[in-house]
Amino acid sequence: MTFPVDLLETLVAARSVAVLTGAGVSKESGIPTFREAQTGLWAQYDPMQLATPAAFLRDPALVWNWYQWRRDLVAKCEPNAGHQALVEIEGMFEVVSLIKQNVEGFHRRASSHKVIEVHGNIMRSKRFSDNVLVEAWDESDEVPPRCPATGDMLRPDVVWFGESLPAGSLEQAIAAAANCDVFFSLGTSGEVQPAASLPLQAVRGGGILVEINPQETPISRHAQYVLNGPSGAVLPELVRALRNGD
């Protein structure tokens, strides 16, 4: 793939890079998007029946089992070439912030370190009442399981509809976008707020916006560079071009 010379020059000169990844990056690993996961036995349910605090209180076993089904899907998949390329990118710039909307945890599995999880991580669990993470619990037939210390029901550590993003993570993401030299938007629809506002925050802060996505999105018209294609194909080529000085 041939990249614009001025894009490569911009990246070579850049000190700070921020990256926003969306569901499209996970989909390249074989993980269905949130709505695509409404298949088979789960096709009869509206997402609002499975991803809100009220839904959990109404039928905690149903919600827990749906997320366990999704966890099982994640466990069968692996980080893709796009994830691996981001690990290399992390070592190429002085400051790199990797802002992930995805909840499957593949960036950390691929060995990225500077990860900001704005929507949580489906592979972790926390107490429903106070959001304290719980790493282990007693095995039983009870669904969902309970915290061994308090007896509180456990839930997935993800942001549900109607919930605020973790304040610390959102603040980090906004600061990274506002202060970066280059902002990459990868595999995101550009429709889920407040994450969708981060690319625009970068532009307002004087950053160069680069979008990598197979389809046009609401972000495309704001980007100085639009690279059409999946991140798993485009990013490794971009890393190779930067290393080779192409």
Side-chain angles (χ1 to χ4, degrees):
M1 183 174 186
T2 302
F3 298 97
V5 173
D6 52 346
L7 169 59
L8 298 178
E9 292 174 344
T10 295
L11 289 170
V12 168
R15 181 188 68 86
S16 175
V17 170
V19 182
L20 174 67
T21 65
V25 176
S26 301
K27 187 174 181 179
E28 292 178 52
S29 285
I31 299 173
T33 65
F34 180 82
R35 293 191 180 278
E36 288 174 343
Q38 307 296 125
T39 60
L41 295 174
W42 302 105
Q44 62 183 303
Y45 298 102
D46 182 277
M48 296 298 288
Q49 294 178 273
L50 300 168
T52 67
F56 183 76
L57 289 175
R58 183 169 55 249
D59 195 337
L62 175 72
V63 173
W64 180 269
N65 285 333
W66 185 61
Y67 277 92
Q68 187 58 50
W69 176 74
R70 292 178 62 198
R71 284 169 167 164
D72 292 341
L73 288 179
V74 170
K76 296 174 184 176
C77 300
E78 297 290 338
N80 59 58
H83 295 105
Q84 301 297 345
L86 287 171
V87 176
E88 294 193 58
I89 286 174
E90 196 172 66
M92 299 174 73
F93 300 93
E94 184 176 336
V95 179
V96 176
S97 300
L98 179 50
I99 308 160
K100 60 182 290 292
Q101 294 174 279
N102 319 314
V103 296
E104 85 298 314
F106 274 7
H107 290 299
R108 294 191 188 278
R109 278 177 58 181
S111 297
S112 287
H113 297 96
K114 302 171 183 178
V115 181
I116 303 171
E117 296 178 326
V118 293
H119 289 166
N121 189 319
I122 198 173
M123 305 307 285
R124 294 193 303 255
S125 298
K126 62 183 180 180
R127 294 199 296 246
F128 179 79
S129 62
D130 58 11
N131 296 321
V132 171
L133 293 177
V134 177
E135 295 185 359
W137 51 86
D138 298 328
E139 294 295 332
S140 72
D141 294 331
E142 188 170 12
V143 180
R146 293 183 177 270
C147 171
T150 66
D152 190 19
M153 289 189 297
L154 299 183
R155 54 161 284 183
D157 182 25
V158 297
V159 177
W160 280 336
F161 293 112
E163 293 183 321
S164 300
L165 272 61
S169 296
L170 181 58
E171 290 169 0
Q172 290 180 56
I174 292 172
N179 295 294
C180 69
D181 298 321
V182 178
F183 189 101
F184 283 96
S185 176
L186 310 177
T188 177
S189 67
E191 297 176 348
V192 179
Q193 294 292 354
S197 66
L198 294 173
L200 304 184
Q201 180 75 52
V203 172
R204 286 193 293 269
I208 300 299
L209 177 57
V210 182
E211 183 183 46
I212 300 177
N213 205 307
Q215 293 90 30
E216 183 177 352
T217 75
I219 295 170
S220 303
R221 61 191 176 91
H222 301 284
Q224 285 90 339
Y225 301 95
V226 176
L227 307 177
N228 293 121
S231 61
V234 176
L235 275 181
E237 289 292 327
L238 182 58
V239 169
R240 191 173 301 114
L242 289 171
R243 292 202 182 281
N244 295 339
D246 294 347

